[in-house]
Amino acid sequence: MSHTSFTKEGFAAFRENDRPGPIHMLNLVRLRAQAEYPDGRRATGAEAYAAYGRESAPVLERVGGRIVWRGEMEQMLIGPEDEAWDLCFIAEYPSPDAFAQMIKDPQYREAMEHRQAAVADSRLIRMAPKDEGQGFAP
């Protein structure tokens, strides 16, 4: 089963969590080799996702969001060996409401056409940022 967008229930639970302050959203994305646009236009998954990035970047900036970390997956050390991610990044938003504003923005909704065409599977994980420091304990 692939996951390419959130459910109504998932978004409602997101909105109910009203912890103040910034949130981090861990994005793990697997791209299709060929994008699947409803109108049949042709592009690779990488090209379609790049279009999503270009078109959604102004909205991300407008709501106060930014990319705080990007990395390239090299190897699955613990986990399903067949699970690989083409894109791994963390976006920071000043508040949960800022993320919700982005999702509802008309310009962002237009950009989502490219994301939906590009993505074969994904994970979007909300996280509370913690201070950097020593050790792994909470």
Side-chain angles (χ1 to χ4, degrees):
M1 175 196 318
S2 69
H3 303 274
T4 58
S5 61
F6 48 79
T7 64
K8 273 190 196 181
E9 297 81 15
F11 192 67
F14 173 88
R15 294 295 282 161
E16 287 172 12
N17 180 351
D18 61 355
R19 177 189 56 76
I23 62 169
H24 283 178
M25 300 294 277
L26 171 61
N27 290 257
L28 302 174
V29 179
R30 184 175 311 121
L31 299 172
R32 293 182 170 107
Q34 289 299 134
E36 294 180 5
Y37 284 101
D39 63 9
R41 93 184 85 154
R42 301 193 47 84
T44 66
E47 291 167 340
Y49 202 87
Y52 162 70
R54 282 190 307 276
E55 292 182 20
S56 65
V59 183
L60 175 69
E61 186 176 332
R62 188 165 53 246
V63 301
R66 65 191 183 106
I67 304 302
V68 296
W69 178 86
R70 290 176 12 148
E72 183 175 335
M73 183 175 178
E74 293 182 328
Q75 174 189 3
M76 180 69 74
L77 191 58
I78 298 174
E81 291 180 19
D82 63 341
E83 191 170 290
W85 303 104
D86 297 308
L87 303 168
C88 307
F89 62 94
I90 296 173
E92 179 182 74
Y93 300 87
S95 67
D97 190 55
F99 178 80
Q101 286 175 27
M102 183 184 73
I103 296 297
K104 294 176 181 178
D105 184 280
Q107 183 179 351
Y108 182 82
R109 288 181 179 258
E110 285 184 29
M112 278 295 290
E113 172 188 30
H114 301 296
R115 186 186 187 285
Q116 291 303 101
V119 175
D121 197 8
S122 65
R123 304 292 182 269
L124 182 59
I125 303 166
R126 177 179 167 165
M127 300 183 299
K130 300 285 187 180
D131 292 332
E132 294 179 16
Q134 303 279 324
F136 302 112

